[in-house]
Amino acid sequence: MKKIIRFLFWVFIILFIVVQILTLDKAPLPWYDETFFASIAHQWLQTGQMTPQVAIFQEVKLYGPIYFWLTGISLKLLGFGVFSFRLINLLSGFGVVWISSLILKHFTNHSNKPKQRLLKLWWILLLTDPLYYLVMHEGRMDLLALFWALSSIYLLLPFLTNSPHQPRLINRFFLSGILVALAVLTTPRVAFIFIPLGLVLLWSCRRKLHLLLIWGIVIIGIYAIWIFTAFGSLTALLEYYTGDNPFVSTSAVGWYMGGVGYIPRQSYPLIVGALLGLLTITFHRATKLFQPYIFIALISIGLFYSLVHDYGQYSVFILPFYYFLALYGLSAQPLQLKNWMMYPVCFLLLLNLGYFTLKNLQTLASWQQRKPTIATQFVQKHIPKGSRVIGEPMYFYAVTQAGSQYQYMDLYETLETREIRQRTQFKYQYMIVTDHLRWRKPQVVKHYLQKAQFKEIARLKTPPSYWTQQIARLGLVSNVERDGYDCVIYKRVTK
């Protein structure tokens, strides 16, 4: 049985990797955050400036440069496209699962075989988590920042847990500080994790303050380089974050900070499992509640809901903490049927595997509708190279690969201001109206069609397959992308 479990685990990992490689550029379809960031990385690659060309047209300093540097390198090495841009995020997703499994391993002091089964369960649960699986493909920087953050914590665990073997503490604190700086320079949103980490270090280093000083000086020193390179002064940095921001027409602090109480519905079973795990730890090993990572996990979860304005995907920052609480509770007793935590964890496993299977079946069923080459070839056939084109984010990669300029027609500024600017300044020549945009934002399409004269050039229509329709009828997975790349290309008629 043990050999069968080991064999099935590695079959799953191999199949999972194959599925990711095959579907990375097909699910989800290109969307606004991703294409906005891809535009920044593409521009950095060409000019050295982080200035998006799809909207805003100002250098973006809100997030820091790390993610754009890495994705820019990926675009350079592999060519411009959906796959090459999303690859960094996918690798970061695997990195998060790996480094967090090492953290779990540090705190589970059982014999090797039960521990190995627990770690296998960890990998399967997190990789198939509905939110985590989605975010791994979304082309954002959150998983990269989380990887840096968890790595910085892992390096310090021998010291924080008073392990008998604590090699090269100065080097560990130095490298941990670098990783913290990399995380914050990937996105400042991750900084809430470092508040409880800093408090734990403040207590743990009370007799070794030089270690805390090394850690803090490295973080401040690296971030100071970014401040004075990008902004010129600390005052300018504060004004950038607290003043009116061109992205959101208000301050970045006001827009991105402040909990709204949003919890993705697919995370409800996980939260219940984490709470049950916490109760199990309390009943069986109450002293384990005082482990530093438990403190970091609980305070981070609380700070996330208090400080981070979550629109959906940001909850990925705290997913590993929830799974840690659930599986750490499971490890309080031997992995047998008598261990009642086996049942909520197995329920989670069934839910995750069920969603993972259904989501990939949906992707497979709608394969022809999702192929990015269809969109690129369609644009190359009907829009001359060097043209000026507007449309929704979905066609950013296709138009850019075809050698034309592309701007969003449905995002940033007001609808009226955007249309006037694109018609009189950008002087767009072609407009791509996807079926998705037509039903999602009909007022945008109507406004543009009223403000200029157009000639319909071509229509792309890929009918949904039989199995796509059957899966949609179940109502268990989102059907927002049901139209794929279907669209109409219009040519603007000018006098």
Side-chain angles (χ1 to χ4, degrees):
M1 180 59 69
K2 294 174 183 176
K3 290 183 179 179
I4 292 174
I5 291 174
R6 188 184 306 115
F7 173 76
L8 291 176
F9 172 76
W10 285 110
V11 167
F12 167 80
I13 293 298
I14 292 170
L15 287 176
F16 188 90
I17 293 173
V18 170
V19 168
Q20 303 323 297
I21 293 173
L22 293 176
T23 63
L24 184 60
D25 61 349
K26 298 175 181 67
L29 295 174
W31 61 297
Y32 67 93
D33 261 13
E34 172 190 311
T35 53
F36 185 80
F37 295 148
S39 178
I40 295 173
H42 187 234
Q43 189 66 12
W44 174 79
L45 191 62
Q46 292 183 319
T47 67
Q49 300 293 316
M50 296 188 297
T51 307
Q53 297 302 299
V54 288
I56 304 298
F57 316 108
Q58 300 180 28
E59 192 166 18
V60 174
K61 306 173 185 177
L62 188 65
Y63 297 96
I66 302 299
Y67 180 69
F68 303 115
W69 289 350
L70 292 177
T71 49
I73 292 171
S74 179
L75 294 176
K76 176 68 174 179
L77 295 176
L78 301 176
F80 183 83
V82 187
F83 183 92
S84 54
F85 183 74
R86 291 179 177 177
L87 183 60
I88 295 298
N89 190 49
L90 180 68
L91 295 176
S92 300
F94 282 111
V96 168
V97 180
W98 169 69
I99 197 67
S100 53
S101 72
L102 295 182
I103 293 173
L104 178 66
K105 182 179 179 180
H106 183 88
F107 287 103
T108 50
N109 300 314
H110 305 302
S111 61
N112 289 331
K113 290 182 180 178
K115 183 189 293 183
Q116 290 304 314
R117 290 203 294 270
L118 191 72
L119 294 179
K120 289 181 176 66
L121 188 58
W122 172 274
W123 275 80
I124 297 173
L125 277 169
L126 195 51
L127 286 176
T128 58
D129 178 89
L131 179 60
Y132 195 84
Y133 183 73
L134 171 65
V135 173
M136 283 182 73
H137 279 222
E138 280 199 319
R140 282 186 52 88
M141 69 280 291
D142 305 317
L143 288 177
L144 179 61
L146 185 58
F147 172 70
W148 302 133
L150 292 176
S151 299
S152 71
I153 296 172
Y154 174 71
L155 281 175
L156 302 180
L157 285 183
F159 174 76
L160 296 177
T161 56
N162 295 314
S163 299
H165 187 54
Q166 300 182 20
R168 301 177 180 177
L169 280 181
I170 291 177
N171 291 346
R172 284 176 174 269
F173 272 80
F174 184 83
L175 183 54
S176 175
I178 293 176
L179 291 168
V180 170
L182 288 176
V184 178
L185 288 175
T186 300
T187 172
R189 190 175 280 114
V190 75
F192 72 93
I193 294 176
F194 302 123
I195 297 175
L197 176 59
L199 292 175
V200 170
L201 286 177
L202 190 62
W203 172 257
S204 301
C205 293
R206 62 191 183 281
R207 292 188 180 90
K208 295 183 179 180
L209 285 176
H210 67 285
L211 295 175
L212 184 61
L213 286 174
I214 290 171
W215 189 73
I217 289 171
V218 169
I219 297 170
I220 294 172
I222 294 175
Y223 201 75
I225 294 174
W226 164 248
I227 291 174
F228 290 103
T229 301
F231 300 95
S233 68
L234 181 60
T235 302
L237 169 74
L238 295 175
E239 289 178 352
Y240 184 84
Y241 280 98
T242 58
D244 285 344
N245 190 284
F247 298 91
V248 293
S249 301
T250 183
S251 74
V253 172
W255 183 261
Y256 292 109
M257 287 189 65
V260 294
Y262 173 77
I263 299 176
R265 62 182 181 179
Q266 60 264 39
S267 295
Y268 290 156
L270 171 60
I271 295 174
V272 172
L275 290 174
L276 292 175
L278 199 58
L279 287 174
T280 303
I281 298 169
T282 304
F283 292 146
H284 292 273
R285 297 181 180 182
T287 56
K288 297 294 184 181
L289 286 174
F290 300 99
Q291 292 281 13
Y293 196 71
I294 294 285
F295 177 83
I296 292 171
L298 291 176
I299 300 301
S300 293
I301 290 171
L303 289 175
F304 174 83
Y305 290 120
S306 302
L307 299 179
V308 179
H309 196 137
D310 185 18
Y311 298 94
Q313 68 271 45
Y314 303 149
S315 294
V316 76
F317 281 116
I318 54 175
L319 278 183
F321 297 132
Y322 277 130
Y323 277 108
F324 177 83
L325 294 175
L327 292 193
Y328 194 42
L330 177 64
S331 72
Q333 300 179 79
L335 300 186
Q336 300 173 355
L337 293 178
K338 293 180 180 180
N339 183 347
W340 70 277
M341 269 301 296
M342 287 286 291
Y343 299 98
V345 170
C346 286
F347 179 69
L348 269 177
L349 181 62
L350 290 174
L351 284 180
N352 287 6
L353 287 173
Y355 176 86
F356 171 79
T357 302
L358 190 59
K359 193 67 180 175
N360 280 284
L361 286 175
Q362 183 191 47
T363 301
L364 182 62
S366 56
W367 193 264
Q368 288 300 318
Q369 292 178 291
R370 295 176 175 274
K371 291 173 66 174
T373 52
I374 290 179
T376 302
Q377 292 169 1
F378 184 66
V379 170
Q380 289 173 335
K381 181 178 180 180
H382 297 289
I383 299 180
K385 185 176 181 179
S387 300
R388 296 180 297 277
V389 188
I390 61 172
E392 72 151 304
M394 191 183 298
Y395 265 82
F396 165 73
Y397 291 106
V399 173
T400 305
Q401 286 176 322
S404 294
Q405 300 178 59
Y406 195 69
Q407 290 187 8
Y408 297 151
M409 64 180 288
D410 63 323
L411 294 166
Y412 302 105
E413 306 169 279
T414 65
L415 173 58
E416 292 76 14
T417 302
R418 184 173 60 247
E419 189 279 328
I420 292 173
R421 177 184 56 76
Q422 290 178 332
R423 175 164 43 86
T424 62
Q425 297 178 31
F426 183 56
K427 296 181 179 179
Y428 70 91
Q429 299 162 298
Y430 293 88
M431 181 170 70
I432 301 176
V433 178
T434 62
D435 291 7
H436 170 262
L437 182 66
R438 200 180 291 275
W439 68 260
R440 196 74 180 262
K441 298 180 179 180
Q443 73 283 2
V444 172
V445 177
K446 180 180 179 181
H447 184 79
Y448 272 83
L449 289 175
Q450 288 177 339
K451 294 299 179 178
Q453 293 182 328
F454 297 93
K455 177 182 178 182
E456 183 175 324
I457 299 298
R459 167 72 165 153
L460 175 64
K461 185 68 177 178
T462 307
S465 69
Y466 169 80
W467 289 110
T468 297
Q469 296 172 334
Q470 295 306 309
I471 292 173
R473 287 194 180 99
L474 296 176
L476 297 176
V477 289
S478 173
N479 198 31
V480 171
E481 299 180 339
R482 61 181 179 268
D483 297 311
Y485 285 101
D486 291 353
C487 72
V488 174
I489 294 179
Y490 294 96
K491 181 175 182 180
R492 186 161 74 96
V493 179
T494 55
K495 298 180 181 180

